[in-house]
Amino acid sequence: SSDDAETVLEHCILEFGAGFRNEMLWIAYANPRVLNCTFRTSRFRGLTVTDSNPRIESCQFLGNADYALAITPNAFPALIGNTATDNGSDSIGIFGGTVSTGGTWVRDDIPYTVINDTVIAEGAELTLAPGVILQFQDPDDDLTVDGALVARGTPAQPILFTSNDLA
């Protein structure tokens, strides 16, 4: 566990990593601030967020072999002004599982990709912010709603549900 008020990575470069956990930085059950950092050339993902709500702002994800970053269904990071270029997938991978708490997946310049079946549990509410792009990796990946899904786009920022396959 970390002291969230004191934990910050700012103007850091993380490169040529990813070992046992498959990412260069793993944020689990903590809410640090990650600001103006570059995650590049990871053997897998640049960053993974597990059941946490960190602030990830103005970061670059460059040339990582897998997803730019990934989250578990109960992770609701504040994502602001991040970019993803030349990664295996220039998206935020969402590991399959259950959304069991309430939260919002915010709009950033990087789309979300559902990797495996994801369920919004009874009593839980998932909100998609206006402008969110929610892609599905495979045709058989599902978003099952047993609780509540709130997806209120606007005329200027509709919410897009689509495939990550451009074909």
Side-chain angles (χ1 to χ4, degrees), residues 113-159:
T113 298
V114 175
I115 299 171
N116 292 308
D117 293 345
T118 301
V119 177
I120 303 170
E122 186 175 338
E125 180 176 288
L126 173 62
T127 301
L128 301 180
V132 161
I133 298 172
L134 187 62
Q135 305 174 144
F136 293 83
Q137 178 174 285
D138 295 314
D140 59 347
D141 290 334
D142 296 326
L143 177 62
T144 302
V145 181
D146 291 334
L149 173 63
V150 178
R152 290 191 182 108
T154 67
Q157 290 190 311
I159 296 168

Side-chain angles (χ1 to χ4, degrees), residues 36-37 48-50 55 96 105 109 114 128 136 144 148 160 164:
N36 299 295
C37 292
T48 297
V49 179
T50 301
R55 181 181 185 93
W105 290 340
D109 294 328
V114 175
L128 301 180
F136 293 83
T144 302
L160 176 62
N164 73 341

Side-chain angles (χ1 to χ4, degrees), residues 25-90:
L25 178 63
W26 177 39
I27 298 172
Y29 316 104
N31 303 311
R33 293 169 292 142
V34 182
L35 312 168
N36 299 295
C37 292
T38 299
F39 296 83
R40 65 184 182 208
T41 323
S42 168
R43 293 183 321 138
F44 294 100
R45 294 177 290 279
L47 169 66
T48 297
V49 179
T50 301
D51 297 345
S52 303
N53 306 319
R55 181 181 185 93
I56 303 168
E57 183 174 349
S58 300
C59 292
Q60 297 179 338
F61 297 88
L62 307 168
N64 299 295
D66 196 33
Y67 291 88
L69 61 154
I71 63 173
T72 58
N74 283 320
F76 306 102
L79 301 167
I80 303 163
N82 300 293
T83 59
T85 307
D86 295 329
N87 298 284
S89 177
D90 289 331

